[in-house]
Amino acid sequence: MTDIANLRHSAVEIFEAGVAAADPYAAVTAALTDDPVKGTPLVLAIGKAARRMAEAALAQYPRARAIVVTNYENAVPLAGATVLAAGHPVPDENGANAAAAVMDALSALTGDDTVLALISGGGSALLPAPVDGVSLADKAAVNRALLASGADITQMNMVRQQLSRLKGGGLLRMAAPAKVRALILSDVMGDDLRVIASGPTVAPIGTRATAKALLQDKGVWDALPAPVRLHLNRADDTDRALPEAENILIGSNPISVAAMKQAAPDATVHSRALEGDVAEAAAEIIATCTGKGTTLFGGETTVLIKGTGLGGRNQELALRVALAAKDAGWTGDWVFLSGGTDGRDGPTDAAGGLVDHTTVTRLSDAGIDPVAVLADNDSYHALKAVGDLLMTGATGTNVADLQVLIRR
């Protein structure tokens, strides 16, 4: 194996250690062992890690009724559970049907019942339950507009909560008077429980007024469907107290970054999460990694879509780092990996990108202009052409993104 092949292999191994630390089965098992739920709960598992989380819960409560709502890639049958597949990142009709099944189950509960809610990233899009007057197509249009606007996950979920019957504490309200215990796997920086899967068991982030203001600030308000604008123009509800719930964080991005550090003890962990626009994140990486060694990152960037190409934030970040390293005059061997822990980056089948000091040259040899590619947001096809996509398949978990840079 060549030196660069060894470096690429090492970067993947470090990344995989971070993904393994976010194993939902182990996290749920530990939480239920330490503090078990009394009786036989209704298990509602929602998100990209829902299937594995439900599997762990059913090992503890084999007689429980379980509903699992997850993305198509992770929708594997599970004995004892109803597994429902839905669209992500844009909600679809299957997601609406799954939301209806969840609401039907909640509506039958009494004060003697307990809900074990297993929540992970992706739940916002997977479980669409639009408010009255807003259609699924309307919600999908809002999602697409937010994704293209460069809105971060907190901003996106703040808007989603105001258009949903289940988000922003909606599930908790529907479950009343039953008791609710939620085990939560975080895919957001700072682990704000209101943001993860749009907070079905916690209070909302904002109000209709703040959602409208954000959409106006992002320049997408006037293009939104009329029913959405009508709903967000209504006065906010002020008299809806939220029932109590027990919300427990069981996994997060910092835990996975720490696991990468264990796999690479000599590495340096970047002092803060990578967030914001991918171009700014790439510049931060280049400015940070000025010498030889391994540097580890975690976070979740955003992309402002201006072109018509295909890609995701991790693929674009990887390509931008490759270009920026060349512009900075980096010498010697280096590799950079940026990947989503769920195994899927944007609307693609790749987890992200894995580039090295030869990437820009190989693109040029293939007749591909990386600057033009980035202008068209077409990082997927460029990286695919030179074999620099990170392909992991669905991982069954989701704790945002991880990055590894190695310089020799």
Side-chain angles (χ1 to χ4, degrees):
M1 189 180 291
T2 64
D3 288 344
I4 193 61
N6 275 321
L7 289 185
R8 291 172 70 95
H9 180 72
S10 294
V12 171
E13 284 193 324
I14 295 168
F15 172 77
E16 289 176 342
V19 174
D23 177 34
Y25 189 99
V28 170
T29 299
L32 293 178
T33 300
D34 293 342
D35 192 7
V37 173
K38 304 298 187 294
T40 302
L42 167 66
V43 176
L44 298 178
I46 302 160
K48 292 183 179 179
R51 200 268 181 199
R52 285 284 285 165
M53 295 178 84
E55 184 180 2
L58 287 174
Q60 299 286 327
Y61 307 104
R63 297 178 60 190
R65 179 187 176 193
I67 299 175
V68 178
V69 184
T70 193
N71 55 321
Y72 293 109
E73 295 90 337
N74 288 314
V76 178
L78 174 61
T82 299
V83 179
L84 304 172
H88 184 279
V90 177
D92 63 9
E93 195 64 37
N94 285 338
N97 293 336
V102 168
M103 289 188 288
D104 284 346
L106 293 172
S107 67
L109 298 175
T110 71
D112 296 326
D113 294 312
T114 298
V115 176
L116 178 60
L118 308 174
I119 298 167
S120 57
S124 291
L126 292 168
L127 206 67
V131 294
D132 290 341
V134 174
S135 70
L136 180 62
D138 293 335
K139 285 202 70 175
V142 173
N143 270 30
R144 284 191 292 267
L146 287 168
L147 286 167
S149 75
D152 64 32
I153 189 65
T154 299
Q155 294 169 327
M156 290 186 66
N157 287 357
M158 186 262 285
V159 174
R160 287 162 161 168
Q161 288 172 343
Q162 298 305 318
L163 300 174
S164 173
R165 288 181 285 169
L166 285 171
K167 299 172 175 60
L171 187 153
L172 184 56
R173 289 190 177 95
M174 286 192 179
K179 297 176 285 294
V180 176
R181 186 172 193 239
L183 305 182
I184 302 170
L185 192 69
S186 173
D187 67 331
V188 301
M189 297 305 99
D191 302 326
D192 187 339
L193 302 187
R194 301 173 303 166
V195 181
I196 305 161
S198 290
T201 62
V202 297
I205 302 164
T207 64
R208 293 173 191 167
T210 55
K212 176 182 176 181
L214 171 70
L215 293 163
Q216 289 175 323
D217 182 63
K218 291 293 183 182
V220 300
W221 172 259
D222 292 336
L224 295 179
V228 170
R229 287 181 280 122
L230 178 64
H231 177 76
L232 294 179
N233 273 325
R234 294 189 178 116
D236 288 297
D237 297 327
T238 58
D239 59 350
R240 299 184 66 195
L242 193 68
E244 291 186 4
E246 185 180 11
N247 292 293
I248 303 169
L249 183 70
I250 62 170
S252 67
N253 188 267
I255 291 173
S256 286
V257 173
M260 292 200 300
K261 170 67 173 175
Q262 285 187 319
D266 294 332
T268 299
V269 175
H270 189 49
S271 58
R272 72 176 197 90
L274 281 182
E275 297 181 277
D277 184 76
V278 286
E280 296 174 3
E284 182 175 345
I285 290 166
I286 296 299
T288 298
C289 303
T290 55
K292 295 181 179 181
T294 299
T295 309
L296 310 175
F297 305 81
E300 185 167 282
T301 57
T302 58
V303 175
L304 180 60
I305 298 176
K306 297 180 179 179
T308 60
L310 181 66
R313 59 183 181 265
N314 288 289
Q315 294 159 60
E316 184 153 325
L317 179 59
L319 186 52
R320 286 185 179 277
V321 166
L323 268 177
K326 180 177 182 296
D327 292 341
W330 278 15
T331 58
D333 293 345
W334 62 265
V335 299
F336 175 71
L337 179 154
S338 184
T341 54
D342 60 354
R344 180 176 178 181
D345 185 32
T348 76
D349 58 354
L354 175 57
V355 297
D356 59 49
H357 65 281
T358 70
T359 293
V360 174
T361 300
R362 286 185 284 115
L363 285 169
S364 179
D365 290 345
I368 299 170
D369 179 0
V371 175
V373 163
L374 289 170
D376 195 31
N377 299 114
D378 200 27
S379 53
Y380 177 87
H381 290 117
L383 294 177
K384 183 177 182 179
V386 294
D388 281 2
L389 288 173
L390 176 65
M391 306 293 290
T392 66
T395 63
T397 191
N398 185 22
V399 291
D401 304 332
L402 301 172
Q403 291 84 19
V404 181
L405 192 143
I406 307 174
R407 290 189 68 179
R408 291 290 183 264

